Amino acid sequence: MSEKLTPLEQNPEGIGYLPGLAMDFVIFGFDQYQLKILLLEYRNTNLFALPGGFVRENENMNDAARRVLSERTGLSDIYLDQFYTFGDLARYDQAPLRTIMQAKGLNPTDDHWLLRRFVSVGYYALIDFRKAAPTPDPLSDNCIWYTLENLPELMLDHKAIAQKALETLRADLDRKLGGYDSWAAPLLPKAFTMGELQKLYETILGQQLRRSSFQRKMLSLDILERLEKQYSGGAHKAPYLYQFIMDK
Amino acid sequence: MSEKLTPLEQNPEGIGYLPGLAMDFVIFGFDQYQLKILLLEYRNTNLFALPGGFVRENENMNDAARRVLSERTGLSDIYLDQFYTFGDLARYDQAPLRTIMQAKGLNPTDDHWLLRRFVSVGYYALIDFRKAAPTPDPLSDNCIWYTLENLPELMLDHKAIAQKALETLRADLDRKLGGYDSWAAPLLPKAFTMGELQKLYETILGQQLRRSSFQRKMLSLDILERLEKQYSGGAHKAPYLYQFIMDK
């Protein structure tokens, strides 16, 4: 895979990239009690955006998504899922990107590749935010975590994209909890208590859950294996530990 | 919106359309006991494909999807949902489309717009197949219903697209059952029995369900309103009728 492509801001024809196709990323960062998302900040413009990227001509789109995600977070092998593709005409607005490019000393013509109409494939990722090393892209100045309650104004339709990602993540929690590609596995120890799993759900859902009904629902999903207790020392008072069943 | 665009098979530059972006449609047709999907057949080629289409430069992508769906089925106002966007390099294979174009007497050059790499947005629709009037597109000869058990070989990755649509539809049944955009409403009478709803689920899931647990789950979703029985004639022996609650 070529690593020698000219950066797009200096590549007005977009040579080497699929035309008209962007990706936008809603990168959820989880800490024990908080859910945050990663935003790019553009100095001297008052503009904020979701991290984004483009697909190379010789690259699978989902591989391109992993590449961009790794560039922004320093992490590979993280939970990533497509959730929606955004193709409204109303997304087509040259003004914010022109402002951003001008603040970087660039002076793009109207038909610069970056200023054309883009359809954008939305991806969401879920990571332990203490492990990430957020890194801005060539056009942005900062890459920073924001809590969902304190998001700044975002450019274009990025707020709606973030909202739809959150709705999809919340709706998919049970269905995508089990198996090798569980969203939760990278956020939990290998063996975890029901309370740790519940805390994860509560943080993502933004609401408290009842302990008994949460436990009943989790066990009914048939994806958790309860481990035998280790009767050493005072450990018999410890809560049960669970792990995900991997042969489903 | 321009209706005067040159058809793409005679428009080697793809003027008027978004480059590199296609849509593929998995149109599920439901009859009381059968689930079918709509395929295009290309005479003298042994090729079959999902219906597809392209987005005009002055068109929202989701509107383009409704336009193509209406062209293929004769229906408007039907249940339609995006489910995944397919962007693997392996999709890029000029051979089948070249064969199809040549069978129509066309002789496209290697850089003909239709022969370039496309990323395709997958949509699924769900309709009452007795109401549809399947209509082929300019490059195909037939547009026909096939049962899921008897699909022919499909070109490119279309079989995987159909499979993923079916998985998504099945996984989303409960979550998208209620409200104004219920997938089930167009397939049921305004007031329906629990048995009719169960039959719909069973046909889509391809398996029998237990009556008592199905009823319990449906009622727990809190999206159904039970109607008062009409005590006229022998009607008191009739099963309860339900309708979807619309103010949720």
Side-chain angles (χ1 to χ4, degrees), chain A residues 18-21 55-62 81-82 84-90 117 119 121 171-172 175, chain B residues 18-21 55-62 82 84-90 117 119 121 171-172 175:
Chain A
L18 296 192
L21 189 75
V55 184
R56 295 175 181 164
E57 280 177 353
N58 60 354
E59 195 176 32
N60 293 322
M61 184 178 71
N62 287 343
D81 214 355
Q82 257 192 46
Y84 199 76
T85 295
F86 299 85
D88 276 1
L89 266 173
R117 177 177 172 190
V119 167
V121 182
D172 284 350
R175 179 156 70 90
Chain B
L18 296 192
L21 189 75
V55 184
R56 295 175 180 163
E57 281 177 352
N58 60 353
E59 195 178 31
N60 293 321
M61 184 178 72
N62 288 342
Q82 257 192 47
Y84 200 76
T85 296
F86 299 86
D88 276 1
L89 266 174
R117 178 179 172 188
V119 167
V121 181
D172 284 350
R175 180 156 70 91

Side-chain angles (χ1 to χ4, degrees), chain A residues 27-30 36-39 73 127-130 132 134 143-147:
Chain A
I27 305 174
F28 293 106
F30 170 79
K36 300 183 175 183
I37 72 171
L38 202 54
L39 296 181
T73 64
I127 65 181
D128 178 340
F129 78 65
R130 294 163 304 182
C143 187
I144 326 173
W145 292 109
Y146 280 82
T147 59

Side-chain angles (χ1 to χ4, degrees), chain B residues 157-191:
Chain B
D157 56 351
H158 288 196
K159 191 156 261 176
I161 292 176
Q163 184 60 35
K164 189 159 183 97
L166 182 63
E167 285 165 14
T168 309
L169 169 64
R170 286 175 171 172
D172 284 350
L173 285 182
D174 292 351
R175 180 156 70 91
K176 298 186 174 172
L177 179 60
Y180 282 104
D181 56 352
S182 168
W183 59 267
L187 305 178
L188 289 168
K190 185 163 162 42

Side-chain angles (χ1 to χ4, degrees), chain A residues 35 169-171 173 200-207 209 217:
Chain A
L35 194 63
L169 170 64
R170 286 174 172 173
L173 286 182
L200 196 51
Y201 262 74
E202 288 177 335
T203 304
I204 293 170
L205 294 174
Q207 62 180 64
L209 301 171
K217 191 174 80 166

